[in-house]
Amino acid sequence: MNTGDKSAHEVLWNPPPEARARTRIGDFMQWVARDRETDFADYAELWRWSVDDLAGFWSAIWNYFDVPAYSQPTEILADADRMPDTRWFPGATLNYAQAVLRMPGLADGDTAVIAHSQTRRAVHYTAAELREQVARARQGLFRLGVRRGDRVAAYLPNIPETLVLLLAAASLGATFASCPPEFGVRSVLDRLGQIDPKVLVVVDGYRYGRKSIDRSAEIREIRTALTGLGQLVVLPYLDPSAAPGPGAISWDQLVAHSGELTFEPVPFEHPLYVLYSSGTTGLPKPIVHGHGGILLEHMKSLALHHDLGPGDRFFWFTTTGWMMWNYLVSGLAVGSAVVMYDGDPAYPDPTRLWQLASISHTTYLGTSAPFLLACRKAGVSPRAAADLSALRGLGSTGAPLPAEGYRWVYEHVAPDIYFASISGGTDLCTAFIGGAPVLPVRAGVMACRALGAAVQSIDEEGWQMIGREGELVIGKPMPSMPIGFWGDADRARYRSAYFAAIPGLWRHGDWITIAADGSCVIGGRSDATLNRGGVRLGTAEFYSAVESLPEIRDSLVIHLSDNDSGTDELLLFVVLDAGCVLDARLRERIAARLRDELSPRHVPDEIHCVREVPRTLSGKKLEVPVKRILRGELPETVSAPGVLADPEALTPFIELHAHRTGAPAIVAAIDS
């Protein structure tokens, strides 16, 4: 949030008068009033009930969405006051794939999946065709010996076959995991090596922008290293005529035989898939999510917060290495068709995603804050470049979006669109802060805490705060909190990751300010905080100030402090627009902007120009890994190249550390 901008909280959109009557969250409120004889005047009252009466709320979600189950729960939650040991819906058995493939509101002949790609022609599946493909893949996996509890892994992009594989594995009670093919060998093995998959499905390569990328050599290395692998399946994607190679079978062979589409009944907490942390600060955490928790959370979030249902086409630009891909798949569970894209979102120009939304008649488009800001910087006006008449909702995540990003959406995408900037994470595979279609949208502000998410802001002594920035914690259990980490039998690693710092509370690692009306502003990562002379500031606010200057395309700020040595340095790295120069005049303008909008203490000691800010593949800035490099840690211990959008982006920081410590290195990439 840019505190110097007096219009930062201006209302950009108000829900129409009929919103409560026409939205899914409004329908849910009416259903609760009838079924539970509990009425709510507004969203705030609904949210308060959802966190005060967890059993009542989540049983309402179960019943409202008519979750298909083989056996009903004996209770809603047990040990509710023993987070993280809460047990949800004990006694219930169900299957995520069955609920997804029910696709409520979609007839057999209705479009269920639309997939565009830079590598091959577009693919469309009707609801009936999708079920048939899943049945075939299920039959193929069964023939390969996959049973309940086995792991099925994918080295695949965001294409229909990956979705089919996930649902086929889930239907058998097997556990799924995926890595996008842009991951290098080390990144894949760091992840899949932890779960010992029985079957691995891969593509031979893919196209991205102007490049064709062959993955044959990487696949050979991965296959050799995964010593417990039972079968390799190759999808000839880059070269349709490519043979699978010795000892492997093709995707066509896997799905050659039709079969009955049946589903293994599994307990609510049975492992559905393993998601991985970014791996920027060590070996990626293998986060295990369960069938029931993911199903309930995603149905709630997609239907009630994004207002998705039958008749919608849901498109979130993502890769299979980001939890938003799993979120996208669940769109089918609420009756929406899903739109997939594999390729460069800015190729051949920055209007590519908007054009795809137009072609596919997308009704809800999701992307990242960095992408929206890049479009703004590039002068893109999507409403002028594409027919977005079908688009009624837009989502953003991956990083906090400053107020100017919100205003750009309403000026250049659509003046009457429902826009939601959301925040959550891989750890819960959802957003716990975002929007609701019955709440106004204000510049730079996330409208609400999500239903069922007891998000709090606490101070250093653990007291809850309103109107002041504090540590983001979740005070009560949620069904999509992980079952645990793979291989962490006593859950010690899981407890250490989220509950050790503040016992009894989930610590997420962000700064948050919660207003009296429940709206929220994320201030950045709490482990990357700027704290000079007792003046604490989240990095999101810093970036908003710096990147509002027209010359600056991107930025990264690092605070190096050490009480023992007396170090207290603030280093700013900027990426400039073409033709701009980091001269004395621009340095002073940057300093003046930070001095005026933040504080004199937040004027950097040094400002450097770099070619690119290091980011993960999902667009997150690598603040902590860069800080560790500048403190002298080895690059290979703080990040894996395969998780970075551009591994070379770390080079300037490695060389800067060498230069500052007197090591024999040349800082060639700094200020170039």
Side-chain angles (χ1 to χ4, degrees), residues 378-459:
V380 173
S381 181
R383 62 189 299 188
D387 177 6
L388 300 178
S389 56
L391 192 67
R392 61 182 184 86
L394 181 68
S396 169
T397 192
L401 187 71
E404 54 268 28
Y406 282 69
R407 284 192 285 270
W408 177 84
V409 166
Y410 282 94
E411 291 170 7
H412 294 283
V413 179
D416 57 352
I417 201 167
Y418 164 52
F419 174 66
S421 177
I422 65 175
S423 182
T426 301
D427 317 79
L428 290 93
C429 198
T430 192
F432 41 75
I433 306 165
V438 292
L439 293 175
V441 176
R442 292 184 290 145
V445 178
M446 285 176 275
C448 61
R449 290 168 284 186
L451 296 175
V455 174
Q456 304 167 8
S457 172
I458 64 170
D459 64 15

Side-chain angles (χ1 to χ4, degrees), residues 259-283:
E260 185 181 359
L261 183 55
T262 59
F263 304 93
E264 176 77 8
V266 296
F268 190 89
E269 71 278 6
H270 186 77
L272 169 63
Y273 42 61
V274 180
L275 302 182
Y276 298 91
S277 62
S278 62
T280 56
T281 55
L283 197 66

Side-chain angles (χ1 to χ4, degrees), residues 155-180:
Y155 189 45
L156 297 172
N158 180 21
I159 54 177
E161 289 88 344
T162 320
L163 184 158
V164 165
L165 187 68
L166 162 59
L167 296 178
S171 75
L172 290 163
T175 303
F176 178 82
S178 61
C179 292

Side-chain angles (χ1 to χ4, degrees), residues 599-612:
S599 87
R601 294 182 183 273
H602 292 98
V603 174
D605 297 292
E606 297 179 15
I607 305 176
H608 296 284
C609 178
V610 294
R611 178 181 58 83
E612 187 174 2

